[in-house]
Amino acid sequence: MFDGFRNETFQIHAMLFCTINDFSEYGNLSGYNLKGHRAYPICEKDTSYIQLKHGRKIVYTRHRRFLKPHHPYKRLKKAFNGSQEHETAPILYLERSKRSH
């Protein structure tokens, strides 16, 4: 840093404590690559996606697996992709959520 009053440079230590941002900015701040098929950082290799037929857009799917096991949305077919969700959240996500409680 430069101190204009003293006309000298000095070393400063800082820490980013908290942010509220969108998904793309999350990638910029964390250095995480949010492009491509495995861009969802919580699931990583277990990311569920489909590529739309008439374009190159990638759509991330199966978000209902993060809900509690007997949540009514897990049984809904019409409102989602025509199927029920029977899987649970990836293990890494479950371990993180237990530590935060």
Side-chain angles (χ1 to χ4, degrees):
M1 293 292 285
F2 180 76
D3 184 344
F5 182 74
R6 292 186 176 165
N7 201 24
E8 62 185 29
T9 59
F10 64 96
Q11 187 174 11
I12 187 168
H13 299 274
M15 177 180 75
L16 182 62
F17 177 70
C18 182
T19 65
I20 298 173
N21 46 275
D22 63 8
F23 197 61
S24 61
E25 189 58 31
Y26 166 76
N28 291 335
L29 288 171
S30 66
Y32 196 89
N33 182 13
L34 298 175
K35 294 178 175 66
H37 294 106
R38 306 283 185 220
Y40 195 59
I42 294 172
C43 301
E44 294 178 345
K45 68 179 181 180
D46 294 324
T47 298
S48 178
Y49 64 88
I50 57 172
Q51 189 161 356
L52 298 179
K53 291 178 185 177
H54 302 290
R56 295 184 175 174
K57 185 172 183 154
I58 298 168
V59 180
Y60 298 100
T61 58
R62 300 191 38 236
H63 291 65
R64 292 180 291 164
R65 62 186 166 157
F66 292 96
L67 297 171
K68 292 180 181 178
H70 299 292
H71 195 284
Y73 280 14
K74 290 188 96 167
R75 293 188 307 272
L76 289 178
K77 289 182 180 181
K78 257 186 181 175
F80 295 97
N81 61 352
S83 65
Q84 293 183 347
E85 181 60 66
H86 300 289
E87 290 192 38
T88 59
I91 293 171
L92 179 61
Y93 177 79
L94 293 173
E95 288 173 1
R96 284 182 190 164
S97 64
K98 285 179 186 176
R99 280 187 239 144
S100 65
H101 286 91

